Amino acid sequence: AQSVTQLGSHVSVSEGALVLLRCNYSSSVPPYLFWYVQYPNQGLQLLLKYTSAATLVKGINGFEAEFKKSETSFHLTKPSAHMSDAAEYFCAVSKAAGNKLTFGGGTRVLVKP
Amino acid sequence: GAGVSQTPSNKVTEKGKYVELRCDPISGHTALYWYRQSLGQGPEFLIYFQGTGAADDSGLPNDRFFAVRPEGSVSTLKIQRTERGDSAVYLCASSGGLAGTNEQFFGPGTRLTVL
């Protein structure tokens, strides 16, 4: 069975500071990995995805994530936080394209002015 | 439509009642997924349709939960004899095609409250 662990249910960063959200996964097969963002009262929006191509993946809104097989990690980063980045972020894994997603518990990001 | 839509956006019901939640996927998307998100948790998979058939229903918690997609487009999630523990946001997603990365596009969800 696959699983995803997100370290830290809440993260607080200052505007302009680095955003780092941690995600570790377990999977019996090479995984597909995703980061989604959820703004209040809105649906999940895909930020970026890893599908066995380049290990450093760039997404929308200046976010990127690096797949590290040896560490079974897929941490999300953004060099400079913006107030509009305040939201909840979910890491997810699937076994194959089109397969069901297994989500982590989420990390809520607060951006301080 | 432009995106995945779900109706109703909010549903309040009493314990023991029957509810139906509807999902309209993006036009032309062949795959449709249902997830459930409890307060403070990540979404949990319920069921996945490819066309009209349920390709994977391993996430349905018990036989009170059932979903259909009779024409391969709109789907309805049905919950019988609702319990307070069924209170959650029910999310629907759709994706298109049979190959590629098949990004799942999510709807805004239906918030179900069982009193």
Side-chain angles (χ1 to χ4, degrees):
Chain A
Q2 297 179 299
S3 67
V4 177
T5 301
Q6 292 184 239
L7 290 176
S9 59
H10 291 79
V11 167
S12 181
V13 298
S14 297
E15 192 174 16
L18 170 72
V19 179
L20 170 60
L21 305 183
R22 299 180 186 274
C23 172
N24 289 87
Y25 70 91
S26 69
S27 178
S28 57
V29 299
Y32 289 70
L33 292 160
F34 307 81
W35 275 99
Y36 282 84
V37 60
Q38 187 174 37
Y39 298 101
N41 300 316
Q42 294 187 29
L44 292 159
Q45 180 182 4
L46 182 67
L47 274 178
L48 50 78
K49 59 191 175 190
Y50 167 77
T51 57
S52 76
T55 57
L56 182 62
V57 182
K58 293 189 183 298
I60 62 171
N61 302 338
F63 284 94
E64 63 181 35
E66 186 172 10
F67 171 66
K68 292 187 176 181
K69 183 178 179 180
S70 62
E71 298 177 8
T72 61
S73 70
F74 190 57
H75 301 332
L76 181 71
T77 60
K78 180 173 180 177
S80 177
H82 191 272
M83 296 300 290
S84 61
D85 295 327
E88 188 150 24
Y89 294 79
F90 293 93
C91 182
V93 64
S94 72
K95 284 195 288 190
N99 214 326
K100 64 184 180 185
L101 296 171
T102 299
F103 286 88
T107 299
R108 186 171 297 278
V109 172
L110 171 67
V111 182
K112 299 177 293 185
Chain B
V4 178
S5 62
Q6 294 185 246
T7 54
S9 55
N10 281 282
K11 175 71 177 178
V12 180
T13 191
E14 294 179 342
K15 180 176 179 293
K17 299 290 188 182
Y18 168 82
V19 297
E20 290 189 351
L21 311 179
R22 176 187 169 108
C23 173
D24 280 86
I26 293 172
S27 178
H29 277 189
T30 57
L32 186 146
Y33 309 78
W34 284 99
Y35 295 85
R36 177 169 72 173
Q37 186 174 17
S38 299
L39 192 63
Q41 298 182 21
E44 294 178 305
F45 170 77
L46 295 175
I47 186 170
Y48 153 50
F49 289 90
Q50 185 62 252
T52 60
D56 183 352
D57 65 357
S58 62
L60 294 178
N62 51 60
D63 62 5
R64 295 187 298 105
F65 288 75
F66 189 71
V68 296
R69 195 185 185 200
E71 298 178 355
S73 177
V74 170
S75 176
T76 305
L77 178 66
K78 308 180 180 191
I79 310 174
Q80 298 177 322
R81 305 183 304 280
T82 52
E83 299 177 357
R84 292 194 179 88
D86 298 335
S87 296
V89 176
Y90 289 80
L91 299 170
C92 177
S94 70
S95 67
L98 298 176
T101 57
N102 287 341
E103 175 186 343
Q104 294 184 28
F105 293 84
F106 282 82
T110 293
R111 183 176 298 278
L112 175 66
T113 303
V114 182
L115 301 178

